[in-house]
């Protein structure tokens, strides 16, 4: 039988304890493992400049356990990036080891690599998936990939995050919310203002757009909320 290669080391940007800054579980203490690298190039991304070091599976586990003892308890270990699913052969055994150590696994992902998700979904307790709007990211549309991703992810506790900017295309937004409604309308959708110094609070125009998107989206999915990023407001990592 052919077994997939297990990557025993990968590039990790940081491992740290902090408050979850985005989405449905905002404000909870999470232990973050941030992986280097992403296959997308969102125009608002602030992750690309973070330096990374090579770390082994044992090294990541040892650091996670040590940080949990020093700063825990943590509600979840959040695998984040970059795009953690690009490190499939590393995160698969890592997730298994985290579960063995009784951590709960939270996957933060851009919601595109659905084939990779299929390989690890059973070890995810919660999935925070992005739905990327081309009109906001400057990237191509990932509508088809997002739909496939949500179909795989819906076997777990999953919610959807969408970053909204002044350039948002309403039709594109409606298309994405309609996909959520078709796959599983009960999943929460979180709208976030595109990152700025104080999360759009000094931009009333953007806040009006967000409110209008919330109203439009609520015709398709009942649980759609506007939640700004906590770590930008509190100025924490
Ligand atoms: S998906 Fe996330 S990490 Fe990747 S480029 Fe976009 S914002 Fe950056």
């Amino acid at each position: 039988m052919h077994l997939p290669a297990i990557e025993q080391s990968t590039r990790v940007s940081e491992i740290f304890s902090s408050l979850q800054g985005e989405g449905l579980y905002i404000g909870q203490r999470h232990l973050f493992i941030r992986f280097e690298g992403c296959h997308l190039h969102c125009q608002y991304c602030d992750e690309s400049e973070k330096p990374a070091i090579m770390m082994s599976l044992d090294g990541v586990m040892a650091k996670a356990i040590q940080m949990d003892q020093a700063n825990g308890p943590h509600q979840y270990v959040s695998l984040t990036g970059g795009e953690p699913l690009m490190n499939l052969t590393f995160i698969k055994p890592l997730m298994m080891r985290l579960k063995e150590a009784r951590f709960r696994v939270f996957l933060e992902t851009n919601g595109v690599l659905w084939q990779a998700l299929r390989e690890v979904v059973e070890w995810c307790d919660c999935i925070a998936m992005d739905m990327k709007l081309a009109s906001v990211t400057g990237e191509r549309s990932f509508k088809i990939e997002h739909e496939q991703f949500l179909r795989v992810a819906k076997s777990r506790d999953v919610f959807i995050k969408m970053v909204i900017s002044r350039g948002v295309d309403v039709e594109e937004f409606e298309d994405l919310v309609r996909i959520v409604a078709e796959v599983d309308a009960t999943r929460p959708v979180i709208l976030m203002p595109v990152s700025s110094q104080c999360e759009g609070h000094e931009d009333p125009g953007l806040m009006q757009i967000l409110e209008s998107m919330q109203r439009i989206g609520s015709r398709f999915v009942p649980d759609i909320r506007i939640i700004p990023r906590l770590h930008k407001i509190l100025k924490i990592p």
Side-chain angles (χ1 to χ4, degrees), residues 16-114:
F16 62 104
S17 171
S18 188
L19 303 179
Q20 174 55 252
E22 298 180 0
L24 206 59
Y25 297 98
I26 194 163
Q28 283 185 343
R29 181 155 294 277
H30 286 198
L31 204 166
F32 293 87
I33 303 174
R34 187 184 302 286
F35 295 92
E36 185 186 52
C38 180
H39 56 121
L40 304 189
H41 303 90
C42 305
Q43 56 197 9
Y44 53 80
C45 183
D46 59 358
E47 298 297 342
S48 51
E49 300 306 319
K50 299 227 162 86
I53 55 162
M54 208 67 181
M55 285 190 79
S56 67
L57 200 50
D58 287 344
V60 170
M61 275 308 294
K63 180 91 179 166
I65 289 166
Q66 178 220 320
M67 291 217 77
D68 187 55
Q69 285 165 354
N71 304 292
H74 296 91
Q75 294 291 311
Y76 288 98
V77 173
S78 291
L79 306 188
T80 189
E83 174 48 58
L85 287 171
M86 284 180 65
N87 295 278
L88 182 62
T89 52
F90 186 89
I91 66 164
K92 189 171 180 175
L94 175 63
M95 284 179 172
M96 292 177 189
R97 299 245 327 243
L98 287 168
K99 298 294 288 177
E100 276 168 20
R102 302 200 174 278
F103 288 112
R104 294 199 300 160
V105 174
F106 188 101
L107 178 66
E108 298 192 294
T109 165
N110 59 33
V112 171
L113 302 174
W114 59 272

Side-chain angles (χ1 to χ4, degrees), residues 35-192:
F35 295 92
E36 185 186 52
C38 180
H39 56 121
L40 304 189
H41 303 90
C42 305
Q43 56 197 9
Y44 53 80
C45 183
D46 59 358
E47 298 297 342
S48 51
E49 300 306 319
K50 299 227 162 86
I53 55 162
M54 208 67 181
M55 285 190 79
S56 67
L57 200 50
D58 287 344
V60 170
M61 275 308 294
K63 180 91 179 166
I65 289 166
Q66 178 220 320
M67 291 217 77
D68 187 55
Q69 285 165 354
N71 304 292
H74 296 91
Q75 294 291 311
Y76 288 98
V77 173
S78 291
L79 306 188
T80 189
E83 174 48 58
L85 287 171
M86 284 180 65
N87 295 278
L88 182 62
T89 52
F90 186 89
I91 66 164
K92 189 171 180 175
L94 175 63
M95 284 179 172
M96 292 177 189
R97 299 245 327 243
L98 287 168
K99 298 294 288 177
E100 276 168 20
R102 302 200 174 278
F103 288 112
R104 294 199 300 160
V105 174
F106 188 101
L107 178 66
E108 298 192 294
T109 165
N110 59 33
V112 171
L113 302 174
W114 59 272
Q115 295 100 329
L117 178 68
R118 228 172 22 194
E119 300 288 316
V120 293
V121 70
E122 68 185 281
W123 292 286
C124 297
D125 293 289
C126 184
I127 301 169
M129 74 167 278
D130 290 348
M131 279 193 164
K132 300 283 187 191
L133 290 113
S135 53
V136 176
T137 61
E139 272 271 6
R140 73 167 173 87
S141 163
F142 293 100
K143 247 178 4 186
I144 293 166
E145 290 89 343
H146 286 325
E147 177 174 352
Q148 292 293 342
F149 197 99
L150 186 55
R151 288 192 188 284
V152 178
K154 73 175 187 166
S155 64
R156 318 305 292 169
D157 177 15
V158 58
F159 66 90
I160 295 102
K161 297 187 294 184
M162 291 188 200
V163 173
I164 304 293
S165 72
R166 275 176 171 264
V168 64
D169 178 309
V170 179
E171 264 181 47
E172 187 190 13
F173 173 76
E174 278 190 13
D175 279 353
L176 285 177
V177 181
R178 205 176 281 118
I179 286 171
V180 178
E182 282 168 11
V183 176
D184 187 346
T186 67
R187 302 309 168 131
V189 175
I190 312 299
L191 307 180
M192 305 189 301

